[in-house]
Amino acid sequence: MPHISIRVSEQEKKQMEHYAALHGQNLSDVIKSAFFIRLEDEFDLKLIEEYEADPDKTTYPHEEVKRMLGL
């Protein structure tokens, strides 16, 4: 499996290790999870921006959706 190194200060390393320990995970898994969560968030934001830029989109207020669904 490939290996990636990052440089952090001693203080940052301690904080990262403390966080990982609090969550019962190893540091590698915490860093990898944080990266992929960030990547997914940015992808979701891009999709939202594209949707909001679409002039042909149709939106409905919550009350209208409830009525349409018979709720």
Side-chain angles (χ1 to χ4, degrees), residues 3 6 16-17 24 27 32 35 39-41 43 47 51 58-59 63 65-66 68:
H3 179 85
I6 60 172
M16 294 165 81
E17 288 173 336
L27 188 53
K32 187 166 51 173
F35 171 80
L39 185 66
E40 184 177 328
D41 288 348
F43 178 76
L47 288 178
Y51 172 78
T58 302
T59 60
E63 293 304 317
V65 173
K66 284 182 184 178
M68 292 167 65

Side-chain angles (χ1 to χ4, degrees), residues 7-54:
R7 296 185 195 287
V8 296
S9 70
E10 191 60 39
Q11 176 70 20
E12 291 168 331
K13 180 178 181 261
K14 287 178 184 177
Q15 289 175 331
M16 294 165 81
E17 288 173 336
H18 181 71
Y19 179 87
L22 282 174
H23 294 280
Q25 297 181 315
N26 65 50
L27 188 53
S28 180
D29 288 341
V30 168
I31 294 169
K32 187 166 51 173
S33 176
F35 171 80
F36 285 108
I37 288 170
R38 173 80 182 259
L39 185 66
E40 184 177 328
D41 288 348
E42 287 186 20
F43 178 76
D44 291 346
L45 287 172
K46 185 174 187 299
L47 288 178
I48 291 168
E49 288 171 355
E50 289 173 2
Y51 172 78
E52 289 178 340
D54 180 2

